[in-house]
Amino acid sequence: MTSRCILQTTLLLYFSTMALAMSNDLLRSQLSSSSLECQELLLQLNGTTEYCLKDRINFEIPEEIEKSRQFQKEDIILITHEMFQKIFDIFRRNISRTGWNETTVENLLVKLHWQKEHLEIILEDVKEKENFTWDNRTLLHLKKYYLRIVQYLKAKEYSICAWTIVQAEICRNFFFLNILTDYLQN
């Protein structure tokens, strides 16, 4: 009888570990795919950087993100959610002067919104299943970073050059998102 219980417990642990690994792989795959699609849409917007070089600025992405230190799975989900949310909020702003293709911008917003919603569902599951506390410092640094981007756009009165600089910075964000997503496999 005891050996039967041990066998059942072992099988349960094995299958739950496999399910968790598969869900991490699926999440990583979805995040990577979505980031790549968003990046491609951003590149389709064709910002002209030659005459905008004087407007460049270092928005100072948080060091934790730039150095890509090892985060827990839950941290990665929270950080990527925040990044998708803030990027979504930025591109909902006044883009009328950019001359960008509205369909491309709309497709970008749809993709960002879908990913944001998907991550919100996962975050709710994490909150329910685990007693997880968020790293507020990293999140605070991230919010300040995106606030600097918004303030820059406002200061430059949403000019085409400002949007071109922001577009390049957001493309850089997806590079960091891909690095963070890769940590989900570990």
Side-chain angles (χ1 to χ4, degrees), residues 1-108:
M1 186 71 146
T2 305
S3 63
R4 182 184 253 180
C5 253
I6 291 172
L7 178 63
Q8 288 175 341
T9 304
T10 304
L11 286 173
L12 180 63
L13 285 171
Y14 172 76
F15 288 122
S16 64
T17 303
M18 289 298 292
L20 182 60
M22 287 172 51
S23 70
N24 280 352
D25 286 344
L26 180 61
L27 177 60
R28 189 180 83 247
S29 174
Q30 287 173 337
L31 284 171
S32 293
S33 174
S34 183
S35 291
L36 184 61
E37 289 174 27
C38 288
Q39 210 168 9
E40 288 172 2
L41 288 166
L42 274 172
L43 292 173
Q44 289 176 22
L45 296 177
N46 295 329
T48 311
T49 56
E50 296 87 42
Y51 67 94
C52 296
L53 292 177
K54 66 181 179 352
D55 291 328
R56 283 187 307 174
I57 184 172
N58 180 359
F59 294 106
E60 300 175 19
I61 194 160
E63 189 174 323
E64 306 92 75
I65 306 298
E66 193 170 29
K67 301 289 185 203
S68 298
R69 73 166 204 217
Q70 286 286 83
F71 287 107
Q72 297 291 327
K73 173 189 171 187
E74 296 81 2
D75 290 322
I76 293 170
I77 293 168
L78 180 66
I79 290 166
T80 55
H81 173 268
E82 187 68 22
M83 290 177 79
F84 276 106
Q85 174 68 53
K86 296 302 184 188
I87 294 168
F88 177 82
D89 291 345
I90 287 170
F91 279 92
R92 286 183 49 218
R93 295 183 172 275
N94 183 0
I95 61 164
S96 60
R97 293 191 205 170
T98 62
W100 289 341
N101 181 314
E102 290 181 26
T103 303
T104 303
V105 174
E106 194 60 39
N107 288 340
L108 174 63

Side-chain angles (χ1 to χ4, degrees), residues 138-186:
T138 301
L139 217 51
L140 180 63
H141 295 159
L142 203 54
K143 287 179 182 197
K144 287 181 179 179
Y145 163 74
Y146 285 108
L147 180 61
R148 285 190 293 275
I149 293 173
V150 169
Q151 289 171 336
Y152 170 80
L153 282 169
K154 285 180 183 177
K156 296 289 185 172
E157 298 176 348
Y158 298 95
S159 71
I160 189 157
C161 277
W163 273 113
T164 300
I165 299 301
V166 168
Q167 173 197 14
E169 182 70 14
I170 299 300
C171 277
R172 192 169 160 243
N173 277 216
F174 285 106
F175 169 76
F176 293 117
L177 276 165
N178 288 332
I179 291 172
L180 284 170
T181 302
D182 285 344
Y183 284 134
L184 285 173
Q185 69 187 355
N186 298 335

